Amino acid sequence: MKVEIGNATLHLGDCMDILPTLDKVDAVITDPPYGGILNKKSGHGKLKESLKKYGGGDWDYKPNKEFFDFVCNFSKTQIIWGGNYFSDFLPPSRCWLVWNKLNGKSSFADCELAFTNIESAVRMFSVSVNSIDGRAHPTQKPIELMAWCIEQAGNPETILDPFMGSGTTGVAAIQLGRKFIGIEREPKYFDIACKRIEQAYAQRSLFDGANGTSASDFEQQPLI
């Protein structure tokens, strides 16, 4: 199944089935599952409640080496969140991206790490995990974080997320006027992503059409 929303093309299915049918892109920016959430048999507090809420579906599986080899040859730039879980599959990197989650005294990790092939020093972005409005996926990232990733990738024209989840990378891409390709195998998350990206595109169209506002002007607007 394929849905087109403005400059966004969204695919429902397994990324390893769909990727070979696509043309190469400028950047892959993604947050793959690593088989670590649904495999936990116990938890407490917020973790326990999260496991109850998001326990359904088969999204939490670890991609194999074939996926990472394909992605690294499929795009000029790669940003892969959770890259520390895939060290056996990824080459050495001098530039890791760090998300400072501003957790306070939470028992959750203070930071998350993203592998990149960018020739730069390590970079860090601070935004509270609590800034996520209306969380729809257990590993959902803030839109501000994904917009920052796009900037770190050199503002690529075409962005692919083969593990789209609830569509946050796509929302950031649309807000910044980029082309987006998303792939998601779970129908419930695919539907959520379609709705979020459709809303982002509708909002962008309003900004573009209001009072002669240009796309470059829109990029200065606060991210939703």
Side-chain angles (χ1 to χ4, degrees), residues 29-34 68 79-86 96-100 111-115 123 125 141 145-146 148-149 169:
I29 302 177
T30 191
D31 183 17
Y34 57 88
F68 292 100
I79 296 177
I80 301 174
W81 284 98
N84 47 304
Y85 292 103
F86 310 115
W96 287 75
L97 302 185
V98 181
W99 171 28
N100 178 11
C111 298
E112 292 190 24
L113 305 176
F115 162 89
R123 300 298 180 203
F125 186 81
K141 300 289 188 288
L145 176 68
M146 303 318 292
W148 176 73
C149 288
T169 305

Side-chain angles (χ1 to χ4, degrees), residues 7 16 21-22 27 34 50 55 89 98 107 109 116 120 128 132 146 177 192 197:
N7 287 333
M16 291 308 294
T21 70
L22 304 178
Y34 57 88
S50 179
F89 303 148
V98 181
S107 60
T116 84
S120 178
S128 174
I132 300 172
M146 303 318 292
I192 291 170
I197 290 170

Side-chain angles (χ1 to χ4, degrees), residues 58-121:
D58 62 351
W59 59 270
D60 188 28
Y61 69 98
K62 188 173 182 177
N64 58 24
K65 186 176 185 299
E66 180 185 5
F67 166 77
F68 292 100
D69 288 346
F70 190 96
V71 162
C72 289
N73 291 315
F74 188 74
S75 57
K76 179 180 177 181
T77 304
Q78 300 98 44
I79 296 177
I80 301 174
W81 284 98
N84 47 304
Y85 292 103
F86 310 115
S87 57
D88 292 343
F89 303 148
L90 293 168
S93 170
R94 65 183 296 259
C95 177
W96 287 75
L97 302 185
V98 181
W99 171 28
N100 178 11
K101 300 166 73 173
L102 302 176
N103 268 339
K105 295 183 179 180
S106 168
S107 60
F108 289 96
D110 291 337
C111 298
E112 292 190 24
L113 305 176
F115 162 89
T116 84
N117 68 334
I118 301 168
E119 287 299 318
S120 178

Side-chain angles (χ1 to χ4, degrees), residues 157-169:
E157 180 180 348
T158 304
I159 300 161
L160 167 69
D161 186 349
F163 293 97
M164 179 171 60
S166 59
T168 302
T169 305

Side-chain angles (χ1 to χ4, degrees), residues 5-65:
I5 304 170
N7 287 333
T9 303
L10 313 180
H11 299 266
L12 174 61
D14 191 292
C15 63
M16 291 308 294
D17 294 331
I18 296 170
L19 284 172
T21 70
L22 304 178
D23 295 329
K24 289 186 177 182
V25 297
D26 298 318
V28 170
I29 302 177
T30 191
D31 183 17
Y34 57 88
I37 294 181
L38 299 187
N39 288 338
K40 293 181 179 179
K41 302 300 183 182
S42 63
H44 58 85
K46 290 183 178 180
L47 174 58
K48 187 173 183 179
E49 293 303 313
S50 179
L51 291 174
K52 287 181 180 179
K53 183 175 181 179
Y54 302 108
D58 62 351
W59 59 270
D60 188 28
Y61 69 98
K62 188 173 182 177
N64 58 24
K65 186 176 185 299

